[in-house]
Amino acid sequence: MSTSRSSAQGNAPAPKRWGRRIFLVTAAVVGGGMAVGAGFISNKLSSNKSFRLDAPAGGGSFGAWLTIGKDGQVHVAVANQEMGQGVLSTAALLVAEELDADPALISASHAPVHAVYANPTMMLDGLPFRPDDHGAMASAARWTMDKLLRALGVQATGGSTSTRNTYLALRQAGASARAALVAAAASRLGVDAASLEVSAGKVIHKASGRSLGFGELAAAAAQVPIMGEVKKPEAFRLIGKGMPRLDIPAKVDGSARFGIDVREPGQVYAAIVHAPRLGATLKAATLADKPPGVLQVVTGKDWFAVVAEGYWLARSSLPKVQASWTDGPDAAVSSGEIFGRYGAALDKGELVNYETRGDLKAAMDAARSRIKAEYRVPFLAHAAMEPLNCTVLIKDGQCTVWAGNQAPTLVKWYAQKVTGFEADRVQVQTPLLGGGFGRRAEIDFVVEAVEIAKALPGRPVQTIWSREEDMRHDMYRPAALSRFEAGFDDKGRLTAWHNRIAGPSVTESFTRRLLPDAMGGMPDKTNAEGATFLPYDLPALRVDHALVPVPVRVGFWRSVGHSFNAFFAESFIDECAAAAGQDGVTYRRALLAKSPRYLKVLEEVARLSGWDKPLAASAGGKRGRGVAIAESFHSIVAEVAEVEVGEDGQIRVRKVFAAVDCGFAVDPAIVKAQIASAVVFGLSACLHGRIDLEAGAVKQGNFSDYPMVTLASCPSIETVIVGSDAEMGGIGEVGTPPIAPAVANAVFAATGRRLRELPLRMA
Amino acid sequence: MKLKINGKESEIRSAPDTPLLWVLRDELGLTGTKFSCGVAVCGACTVQVDGAPVRSCVMPVKALEGKSVKTIEALSPDRSHVLQKAWIAQQVPQCGYCQSGFLMAADALLRDKGKPSDADIDAALGNICRCGTYPAMRLAIHQAAEMKA
């Protein structure tokens, strides 16, 4: 990890281009680029014709998205899963806007599993094209994928897509229900529909002073086949303004029901233990003397569980189980060895090229000076506050699964697979999620829970992972290694940029464990995103990557590849700024002259943070300020961090300023809350987070050795939303990528030391 | 043994060394108190014992004979507690899983300090929130203290 001005070129051999090896018709993409075999799809194609929610007694169903009760209660079925991002409320807001509903009479809950609630946006975003590529191949791929994905009907939450994916569908549903209510009222009152107005849950005939509530009209209106017209933006009362979140009251009195809170009659509890080393399998597990209340030991390929009448009894019986394991080939693997593989892959130079601009070799050869640097990040666990858990009842040929999950369709498919039941005999209930961050898009914890419940037919079994199991058997954010070389011309201008990244493919790891019959060897967006399509005016650039398989399961972790590539690229651009003797904002400003949308976000964060005013000195240590900017999920976020580095080397982040352009902000308060959330999430990774592999096992096991930012270490966070007419971007993840580089750049400004590895350590 | 929980005497059947958390959740059906770390680090399981915040995941129920336990379900009957009002006003929770523990710790803090300083809040609430609701929470605690005054 050294920076040196190099005279040797050291260019890697010309990389292979995947460009035309395209996979249009037989592949679909899930969660950032999963390729699925055509045979698998044809088995899963579901009828996506029409779906209507059940009407409440005396009320009406208005299709897949909402019902209205005879009491006037509007209920919205939400395709996405609530894990803190406020999606239940945003969905309700969109319907309420178009309906002109009474805000006091609106509620929302998770929709049932059905293809109509599919999330093709998430998967389309995973295609390896730059966001503004509207060329023939990209357009054809998107069109084909869209058709395929809608038919496949995977309902899932990820990729910061919830609002983008349902924005129009929910509004259209609300507008059509409104039109139907007006038509029903016109008929009831014997007046022209055009003479009616709608306000706060009532249809009003101003001329006569008569009005009818939604509840009085719902049953009749639900029979009216009519398409309504969505509002023009100037008529919005809620969209762009926001409303109080619907889920919050139940979250301040303990009544909010998460997966772990499911309580069914006769319920029992399972405590589970997974193989102590990567790739090991279970030989045998026996419990000689079952204490009263302990029901059974259930075993799987690489786990065993004790089922008992209470969780504590099950958990405290685990150490009494005699278990033996067979080690696999990776029993000795360590993080150090994995980084060795990464380095070797980059040294070897068999890389896949992801992006090229200009003639890099010529630009490097012509450069007056060059700098090089190597960066790395460790594996990370998701560590949602609610440990993984899943409740399953298999009874009378029916299977019910209660799981806080991000992909109900996958939960259903896998419950079917384990039970052998047809689709109509498997029900999936999704309670609230106590955090997801990508971990609950996986189905391992569901499969195991269904297998356990299969051993106890007729009894609801709740399987709960301990924190240690949750942390040691995660699908980790991959560790990654990144090397840069930059070249400058004789005026000091940045003229050449070469970035090479090594790490595993999240896509491939996810695909292999979820869909074993899927195709492999696809180009991978997850490993390169955040390193590619940089907005900077760089005349010659090449981004190459080496996909290095690792024996660790890797998965989607809030902002995925952006979580490390933004740290790498935005730190290295700061090194270029330092080489040019400029501050981070001034330097980026010049490089963004041709990217007005970015430039505006940068200027806004500079203004908000008072970048031009010097920081006051502090007795507590050396102070510094750093900036970073990153686009992810179609939104641009710039952040400025103010840090203080103590004599003891302790890094304290005192203030964070953020500017975000997510196109149109539907609910500004939620946008700001998500930015703050993502900043804190990224800050825990920046300052503390590391998962180390030692002798085939994960070393860390709990918050004591995988610490988090707390109230005492949390900076103040101020966010400004930069309005733009760009297409709507995501918001749940987009605040995470810039925080680590902003802090690292601030540490450099404070101390002159460039830290190139996360978590940041002065010593 | 008998345990006084939320003002009511309950007969407890769980083994005496069972942590209070699991007695609350599995035996008494009080699921508002959450399990997260199991080692008294994260504070999601915080309840009050005789008014003081206690991490129930490591508190054997046998140690609570004759003491009074209060859980989130009894913070108020109708979300009228100043902290609940402030939490709603500041729109604090996101996923919401850790919030019961924070509220029980914050309630004990307000009783102790009246108008806590930022440093008081930092010292009293070492709980973990993965959604990063800390800035909103800090505002809400100050707001609740104002409402109470």
Side-chain angles (χ1 to χ4, degrees):
Chain A
M1 262 151 289
S2 63
T3 295
S4 60
R5 287 179 183 268
S6 75
S7 52
Q9 180 53 34
N11 264 351
K16 295 173 282 189
R17 285 187 67 92
W18 53 265
R20 301 289 156 179
R21 281 194 286 125
I22 207 70
F23 48 96
L24 285 180
V25 180
T26 55
V29 175
V30 171
M34 177 175 69
V36 184
F40 187 85
I41 290 178
S42 63
N43 291 336
K44 297 293 178 193
L45 287 177
S46 37
S47 155
N48 188 5
K49 274 178 241 148
S50 62
F51 175 73
R52 292 183 82 78
L53 296 162
D54 291 338
S61 169
F62 293 81
W65 302 100
L66 72 141
T67 62
I68 301 178
K70 65 178 177 186
D71 53 358
Q73 183 76 31
V74 176
H75 188 78
V76 180
V78 182
N80 294 102
Q81 294 73 50
E82 178 62 64
M83 47 188 178
Q85 80 280 45
V87 70
L88 291 178
S89 305
T90 302
L93 176 150
L94 294 171
V95 170
E97 172 73 70
E98 297 293 343
L99 260 181
D100 286 313
D102 177 352
L105 288 177
I106 189 134
S107 58
S109 63
H110 293 144
V113 182
H114 193 278
V116 73
Y117 303 112
N119 185 353
T121 305
M122 182 174 99
M123 305 164 198
L124 290 169
D125 264 10
L127 289 171
F129 301 108
R130 55 187 298 159
D132 59 353
D133 183 352
H134 299 295
M137 186 160 68
S139 301
R142 288 196 189 99
W143 186 87
T144 312
M145 289 301 143
D146 185 65
K147 300 294 167 242
L148 212 52
L149 292 165
R150 280 180 200 282
L152 188 62
V154 175
Q155 190 175 343
T157 299
S160 296
T161 55
S162 298
T163 302
R164 289 188 278 152
N165 187 53
T166 52
Y167 183 66
L168 282 175
L170 286 164
R171 288 180 57 206
Q172 185 58 58
S176 294
R178 184 189 196 273
L181 290 160
V182 168
S187 151
R188 185 90 48 95
L189 298 174
V191 299
D192 185 15
S195 67
L196 295 170
E197 289 169 29
V198 183
S199 176
K202 285 193 177 76
V203 184
I204 302 155
H205 187 243
K206 264 219 174 121
S208 65
R210 290 178 296 171
S211 72
L212 290 164
F214 283 3
E216 299 170 81
L217 296 163
Q223 308 307 316
V224 181
I226 191 167
M227 280 282 274
E229 238 178 81
V230 296
K231 288 181 181 175
K232 299 266 188 305
E234 48 274 22
F236 289 163
R237 295 169 307 109
L238 297 172
I239 295 176
K241 296 173 182 70
M243 69 177 201
R245 281 176 59 156
L246 301 175
D247 57 336
I248 283 182
K251 289 176 176 176
V252 303
D253 66 2
S255 63
R257 212 171 75 131
F258 298 87
I260 205 167
D261 302 328
V262 168
R263 292 292 179 272
E264 290 293 310
Q267 181 169 315
V268 292
Y269 298 82
I272 192 164
V273 169
H274 295 84
R277 282 170 303 284
L278 286 173
T281 50
L282 183 69
K283 236 185 272 176
T286 52
L287 181 56
D289 294 306
K290 284 196 195 78
V294 172
L295 303 172
Q296 206 167 327
V297 176
V298 184
T299 60
K301 182 172 161 269
D302 56 358
W303 55 267
F304 69 85
V306 172
V307 187
E309 282 167 6
Y311 175 70
W312 183 253
L313 184 56
R315 179 183 166 120
S316 52
S317 302
L318 287 173
K320 297 170 194 151
V321 175
Q322 296 283 323
S324 51
W325 309 87
T326 307
D327 275 344
D330 302 308
V333 77
S334 69
S335 293
E337 193 253 321
I338 287 173
F339 276 108
R341 292 188 203 185
Y342 293 171
L346 293 184
D347 292 342
K348 206 171 159 203
E350 286 179 6
L351 306 176
V352 175
N353 176 246
Y354 211 98
E355 190 191 2
T356 298
R357 295 181 209 169
D359 184 341
L360 183 76
K361 186 169 185 321
M364 280 292 182
D365 287 345
R368 173 67 62 90
S369 62
R370 300 186 197 113
I371 59 171
K372 277 183 169 182
E374 181 177 294
Y375 285 80
R376 58 172 69 184
V377 295
F379 291 101
L380 291 175
H382 296 80
M385 291 309 290
E386 181 190 13
L388 291 173
N389 64 86
C390 177
T391 309
V392 181
L393 170 62
I394 298 175
K395 192 181 179 183
D396 304 331
Q398 299 276 335
C399 174
T400 308
V401 180
W402 293 264
N405 75 89
Q406 293 176 239
T409 309
L410 298 181
V411 170
K412 181 160 175 156
W413 290 354
Y414 276 83
Q416 283 178 242
K417 192 175 168 191
V418 176
T419 57
F421 293 172
E422 293 298 321
D424 60 349
R425 294 198 291 141
V426 174
Q427 306 300 320
V428 176
Q429 304 283 340
T430 304
L432 294 169
L433 283 67
F437 314 123
R439 180 62 177 94
R440 286 187 158 91
E442 308 282 348
I443 42 78
D444 56 328
F445 65 104
V446 173
V447 167
E448 292 165 5
V450 177
E451 288 176 356
I452 293 166
K454 241 175 113 173
L456 290 101
R459 301 209 73 165
V461 188
Q462 181 167 94
T463 302
I464 304 175
W465 294 33
S466 66
R467 171 59 54 196
E468 289 77 10
E469 286 293 311
D470 187 281
M471 196 167 285
R472 294 195 170 124
H473 301 278
D474 202 346
M475 317 292 182
Y476 301 95
R477 197 291 301 274
L481 180 71
S482 184
R483 289 179 183 163
F484 290 93
E485 182 171 22
F488 304 88
D489 69 9
D490 52 5
K491 297 199 178 65
R493 285 177 307 209
L494 180 56
T495 49
W497 175 277
H498 192 192
N499 183 195
R500 292 168 298 153
I501 310 143
S505 163
V506 169
T507 306
E508 200 185 331
S509 185
F510 184 82
T511 307
R512 206 183 309 123
R513 60 180 171 265
L514 262 87
L515 300 158
D517 47 354
M519 297 160 29
M522 311 306 297
D524 181 57
K525 183 177 187 248
T526 54
N527 185 254
E529 60 186 5
T532 52
F533 315 136
L534 297 176
Y536 301 121
D537 187 10
L538 299 166
L541 164 151
R542 207 162 74 198
V543 180
D544 305 326
H545 67 164
L547 294 177
V548 183
V550 296
V552 186
R553 303 182 305 183
V554 294
F556 298 98
W557 185 97
R558 199 172 193 168
S559 81
V560 200
H562 298 282
S563 74
F564 49 86
N565 279 317
F567 168 63
F568 300 152
E570 280 297 290
S571 293
F572 190 64
I573 202 86
D574 222 65
E575 296 202 49
C576 295
Q582 290 183 11
D583 74 84
V585 168
T586 307
Y587 195 70
R588 284 175 178 78
R589 191 180 277 144
L591 286 171
L592 292 173
K594 294 176 190 165
S595 302
R597 205 180 149 211
Y598 284 85
L599 191 58
K600 187 163 183 211
V601 176
L602 180 73
E603 298 294 0
E604 282 296 313
V605 85
R607 185 193 54 76
L608 185 70
S609 64
W611 184 268
D612 293 333
K613 297 181 207 84
L615 279 178
S618 155
K622 293 175 178 167
R623 283 192 173 182
R625 194 151 51 189
V627 67
I629 185 166
E631 175 174 358
S632 59
F633 310 98
H634 304 271
S635 293
I636 300 170
V637 182
E639 289 166 10
V640 167
E642 283 184 27
V643 307
E644 194 169 278
V645 183
E647 291 291 321
D648 54 357
Q650 177 105 0
I651 300 165
R652 273 189 66 89
V653 182
R654 302 171 51 84
K655 291 180 183 173
V656 172
F657 302 92
V660 52
D661 174 357
C662 55
F664 182 66
V666 173
D667 188 326
I670 288 183
V671 166
K672 289 184 178 180
Q674 283 303 293
I675 293 293
S677 174
V679 163
V680 175
F681 195 84
L683 207 49
S684 284
C686 170
L687 299 175
H688 306 298
R690 63 182 305 151
I691 288 291
D692 296 306
L693 287 163
E694 285 180 8
V698 169
K699 188 175 146 198
Q700 291 78 10
N702 210 312
F703 294 123
S704 37
D705 51 12
Y706 190 72
M708 299 294 160
V709 166
T710 61
L711 261 166
S713 54
C714 184
S716 67
I717 302 168
E718 204 178 326
T719 301
V720 61
I721 298 170
V722 182
S724 88
D725 55 7
E727 70 169 315
M728 189 183 292
I731 206 63
E733 301 169 84
V734 303
T736 295
I739 190 62
V743 171
N745 295 341
V747 169
F748 176 77
T751 66
R753 281 197 51 200
R754 175 61 59 183
L755 302 181
R756 300 190 183 88
E757 183 171 357
L758 295 183
L760 301 176
R761 287 284 169 272
M762 290 302 288
Chain B
M1 65 173 284
K2 280 197 184 337
L3 199 56
K4 194 172 178 190
I5 295 175
N6 297 337
K8 214 175 77 187
E9 289 275 344
S10 292
E11 183 66 38
I12 303 302
R13 290 178 290 106
S14 300
D17 58 354
T18 306
L20 172 62
L21 172 65
W22 301 106
V23 173
L24 294 172
R25 291 185 54 82
D26 293 357
E27 187 174 339
L28 301 173
L30 294 169
T31 55
T33 304
K34 300 302 190 216
F35 164 59
S36 184
C37 74
V39 294
V41 171
C42 78
C45 66
T46 305
V47 299
Q48 292 173 11
V49 174
D50 292 342
V54 161
R55 301 203 164 168
S56 64
C57 70
V58 295
M59 174 60 66
V61 71
K62 68 185 172 197
L64 298 169
E65 191 105 56
K67 297 186 194 297
S68 177
V69 176
K70 186 171 170 180
T71 71
I72 184 71
E73 285 86 353
L75 192 55
S76 78
D78 51 3
R79 300 176 189 138
S80 59
H81 189 286
V82 286
L83 282 166
Q84 291 172 315
K85 287 190 197 167
W87 243 240
I88 292 170
Q90 296 295 336
Q91 298 276 289
V92 174
Q94 290 190 19
C95 92
Y97 194 79
C98 68
Q99 300 288 322
S100 299
F102 273 102
L103 283 160
M104 296 313 285
D107 176 53
L109 171 66
L110 284 191
R111 215 173 308 121
D112 193 30
K113 295 277 183 186
K115 273 199 174 180
S117 65
D118 281 339
D120 293 333
I121 294 171
D122 292 346
L125 278 80
N127 302 30
I128 294 172
C129 166
R130 282 292 271 151
C131 299
T133 64
Y134 304 123
M137 195 179 281
R138 186 184 297 283
L139 289 176
I141 294 169
H142 288 309
Q143 186 182 357
E146 288 295 328
M147 282 194 253
K148 206 172 172 183

